[in-house]
Amino acid sequence: MASLMVAGVGLIGVGLIARRFGPVIRQSWPTVEKNIKTVLGDVRYKDGFQSEMDRYEAGKILGISSASNPKRIKNVHKKLMFQNHPDRGGSPYIAAKINEAKDYLEKQHNK
């Protein structure tokens, strides 16, 4: 019986805190989000794809440094293709860009 009362008081406390600070959090969230993007960088790829692949774009597509070793390139490529393969509902265009990025980085590494 006492544990039910403690749980009830706890829920009331959480509700009161959420009611008090909810509007403050909602109002300040755009500023917090902007600061996070400033510190971490925006993770979305807004620029679209370039007509010709380069080291920077290949690294950005795979989400790794363009100077990564071939084993890392292969592992990241495998993971991305598993997530974006056209047979699993992914875009053929995105899959082609992932393959192109992998091929480009491997070719640059072998030079």
Side-chain angles (χ1 to χ4, degrees):
M1 185 68 164
S3 61
L4 288 175
M5 289 179 63
V6 170
V9 170
L11 286 174
I12 290 172
V14 169
L16 291 174
I17 290 171
R19 188 173 189 182
R20 169 66 177 99
F21 293 106
V24 173
I25 292 170
R26 271 183 258 129
Q27 186 178 20
S28 63
W29 180 250
T31 307
V32 171
E33 187 176 23
K34 180 182 169 201
N35 290 341
I36 290 171
K37 286 180 182 178
T38 302
V39 172
L40 300 178
D42 197 355
V43 294
R44 291 171 284 188
Y45 194 68
K46 293 180 180 178
D47 304 334
F49 294 112
Q50 299 173 3
S51 58
E52 211 172 298
M53 185 71 62
D54 64 0
R55 270 182 93 86
Y56 175 74
E57 183 177 38
K60 199 164 182 181
I61 289 170
L62 295 178
I64 58 175
S65 167
S66 57
S68 294
N69 63 12
K71 186 176 180 182
R72 176 140 169 83
I73 294 168
K74 183 179 178 181
N75 289 340
V76 169
H77 172 263
K78 184 177 180 179
K79 179 181 174 187
L80 287 173
M81 284 306 295
F82 183 76
Q83 294 170 346
N84 295 293
H85 198 279
D87 291 346
R88 297 176 152 265
S91 165
Y93 183 70
I94 299 296
K97 282 297 190 179
I98 293 169
N99 285 328
E100 185 181 357
K102 177 197 70 115
D103 293 341
Y104 185 88
L105 290 178
E106 285 180 342
K107 185 174 137 187
Q108 290 297 315
H109 188 73
N110 291 334
K111 278 189 175 180

